[in-house]
Amino acid sequence: MSKKRRSFTPEFKEEAAKMVVESCCPVASVARELGVNEQSLRNWVNEYRKAHAGEEPPLTVPERARLRELEKEVRELRLEKDFLGKAAAFFASEYR
């Protein structure tokens, strides 16, 4: 027995995507709350963001500062990860 596909109205999709974008809630929790598939909701959010790209307000000064801090942290963590990977490979080759 096959399941019937659920279909959603464009209005429902837009409202669901708006919930994710405006409330900054994780997609997973909103999808669970609405009873929809996570990937479907992600697709709706991506479409919503493309359609409303120019409407997002620019970042504030504290948000920009926080973004720079996070980007710096990401760079440092990637360097550490690369270093540890190379060190592990070096030590693994010594014991062969």
Side-chain angles (χ1 to χ4, degrees), residues 11-36 41 44-45 48-49 52:
E11 293 81 17
F12 177 83
K13 292 177 184 181
E14 185 171 345
E15 286 300 315
K18 194 185 279 189
M19 278 179 68
V20 172
V21 172
E22 291 180 356
S23 68
C24 297
C25 291
V27 172
S29 66
V30 174
R32 206 172 21 257
E33 183 180 319
L34 296 175
V36 299
L41 183 55
W44 301 343
V45 168
Y48 180 83
R49 286 188 171 139
H52 299 86

